[in-house]
Amino acid sequence: MEAETSSSLLDNLPNELVIAILSKLPAGDVARNLYQTGRRLRHFVTANQKKMALLPTHCHAAVMDAEERPGFQPYITYTFTAFDETAPGYAKSLRYCSNGNDLRFKALLVQISRFGGLSFTLARQNSARELEIAGQERLDEFTGKTLLSRMCIVAARYDVQKCGKKSSFRLYDDTLCHVLDFCQQLCGDVKIKSLYLASANPRFTWDWSPRSKEKFQTLTSLESLTTEGLPAFDVITQQSMYGMSKLSYLQLRLNHGHREEFANRMIWLPDNNFLSYFSDLALHKLDVDLYSLGDVVITSIGAKEMCYFIKAWRKMVQPWKIKKIIFNTSTAISEFRTTATQMGLHRTDALQDIPYCRFRTHHPSDPNMALELICYGGVSSTKWKMISGYLESPIRRRN
């Protein structure tokens, strides 16, 4: 049915029947034709949105923070793209926070002016999920906000470009609060499962204010978290980890563009209880990658914490499956072997020394369940990898 015809028919129906019809429609059908329908119907959808399904959506916020003078907020452009949860590429798109995989929908671009006000534009995506400039369509503010009200944000990527820092009045900013508040105020729901946070300028990094750190801890539905270029990332704390009981994938990336910044700074993740947070939660099929910049930057994870982690894993009632935990540290294999002996892991046969720089321990409740530590030597740091699984499917095959 054409949108214009369906709108005129719905205009003649009682309110109760309109609600019943709209509540039965898939979220995609409502969102796809909403901007073409009559104003009454759009008002109706907005007023009764809790009774209708929402469209799973990806939000990409591009933030330009020029810091010209106090009182000016960052310039933010939002791009909203739809997800098809039944499509084969949905899980991958969700995890890596790429644009939505449902190309039947146009992308909704929202720009916030520094002087207030919103502008809304529809843009088509090509097969590579890139936005096409040709064929863009401007929307009025009411229609744009109505479309946003039909969206549930399940994945988000925030790229923050800090530039022209001439003073330190906003050294620590509330950018994360701005973008999350925007979605929570205008979108139908915010249940972010995957989040990608990037500091785009290696010279002026994105440092969070206390309010942004508190806001981050409210994202209790997170399953996947990736950060890029956030060297002073001190948000992963015991308090925040306990709130993220669904988190299974964590990647903290430092690319080569940030090499200058760390010329005289070798250690990041200064909280050396990092592994303990994970062992306390025993997150399902944990996948952690803290190794991104080779010998330039290392974590503070030491031999004692690694040994405590092994003991904690062995004490768990149910064997904990770990997909992988990768990190680089100053702890060499000889130091780890000495510390493990001092802490009694070798005396009780809790830890086996295996050729080719590997260590293995078994879970007391299941001799086939093993935790392995693999060591890769470096010049000024050592890369370690932890994995666990059943011996019937050899662990080494999963490397």
Side-chain angles (χ1 to χ4, degrees), residues 165-180:
K165 187 179 293 183
K166 300 176 182 178
S167 62
S168 59
F169 69 87
R170 200 158 67 225
L171 182 62
Y172 302 100
D173 61 63
D174 293 330
T175 299
L176 188 70
C177 294
H178 294 325
V179 292
L180 286 176

Side-chain angles (χ1 to χ4, degrees), residues 1-62:
M1 184 181 296
E2 294 294 332
E4 187 175 326
T5 304
S6 63
S7 177
S8 62
L9 288 174
L10 289 172
D11 283 340
N12 297 320
L13 294 177
N15 290 347
E16 294 78 7
L17 189 54
V18 174
I19 294 175
I21 293 173
L22 293 177
S23 64
K24 298 296 182 182
L25 288 176
D29 290 346
V30 177
R32 186 181 301 111
N33 297 311
L34 190 57
Y35 71 96
Q36 298 176 344
T37 61
R39 193 174 183 85
R40 172 182 178 263
L41 182 58
R42 281 178 277 167
H43 273 299
F44 218 88
V45 170
T46 303
N48 298 277
Q49 59 181 352
K50 292 184 178 180
K51 300 178 182 180
M52 303 171 206
L54 299 177
L55 185 67
T57 308
H58 173 264
C59 170
H60 182 193

Side-chain angles (χ1 to χ4, degrees), residues 63-260:
V63 183
M64 175 65 71
D65 192 353
E67 298 190 85
E68 294 178 359
R69 59 180 182 268
F72 274 63
Q73 296 299 324
Y75 183 75
I76 306 176
T77 301
Y78 295 89
T79 304
F80 297 91
T81 49
F83 279 119
D84 180 1
E85 295 177 311
T86 63
Y90 170 67
K92 185 176 180 180
S93 297
L94 185 69
R95 184 173 204 179
Y96 295 108
C97 292
S98 55
N99 280 355
N101 63 339
D102 196 339
L103 300 182
R104 296 173 299 172
F105 294 90
K106 291 182 179 180
L108 177 63
L109 280 64
V110 184
Q111 291 180 306
I112 302 178
S113 170
R114 282 180 172 237
F115 305 99
L118 301 174
S119 65
F120 297 86
T121 307
L122 289 177
R124 190 176 301 279
Q125 294 184 87
N126 58 28
S127 58
R129 301 192 204 173
E130 299 171 340
L131 300 185
E132 297 178 348
I133 298 178
Q136 291 187 355
E137 181 181 355
R138 294 294 299 269
L139 300 178
D140 62 87
E141 185 169 339
F142 176 78
T143 303
K145 287 184 176 180
T146 306
L147 286 172
L148 286 176
S149 71
R150 305 306 315 134
M151 299 178 182
C152 176
I153 308 301
V154 296
R157 172 170 179 143
Y158 303 147
D159 290 283
V160 177
Q161 179 80 29
K162 303 276 285 187
C163 57
K165 187 179 293 183
K166 300 176 182 178
S167 62
S168 59
F169 69 87
R170 200 158 67 225
L171 182 62
Y172 302 100
D173 61 63
D174 293 330
T175 299
L176 188 70
C177 294
H178 294 325
V179 292
L180 286 176
D181 286 345
F182 177 86
C183 292
Q184 289 169 345
Q185 291 169 7
L186 295 181
C187 297
D189 200 0
V190 177
K191 293 182 179 178
I192 299 178
K193 297 180 180 179
S194 295
L195 181 63
Y196 193 113
L197 305 169
S199 179
N201 191 340
R203 293 185 178 274
F204 307 121
T205 58
W206 175 22
D207 291 321
W208 295 8
S209 67
R211 202 163 74 92
S212 284
K213 294 177 182 179
E214 292 176 2
K215 193 75 172 180
F216 174 77
Q217 294 177 9
T218 65
L219 302 177
T220 55
S221 58
L222 271 187
E223 299 174 5
S224 171
L225 173 63
T226 302
T227 72
E228 182 175 344
L230 296 179
F233 196 71
D234 55 353
V235 179
I236 299 294
T237 63
Q238 188 174 22
Q239 182 179 358
S240 65
M241 287 300 297
Y242 280 138
M244 298 179 185
S245 58
K246 298 180 181 179
L247 189 69
S248 60
Y249 178 79
L250 175 64
Q251 185 178 46
L252 308 185
R253 301 172 56 185
L254 293 175
N255 56 41
H256 288 278
H258 295 264
R259 185 179 293 271
E260 288 183 20

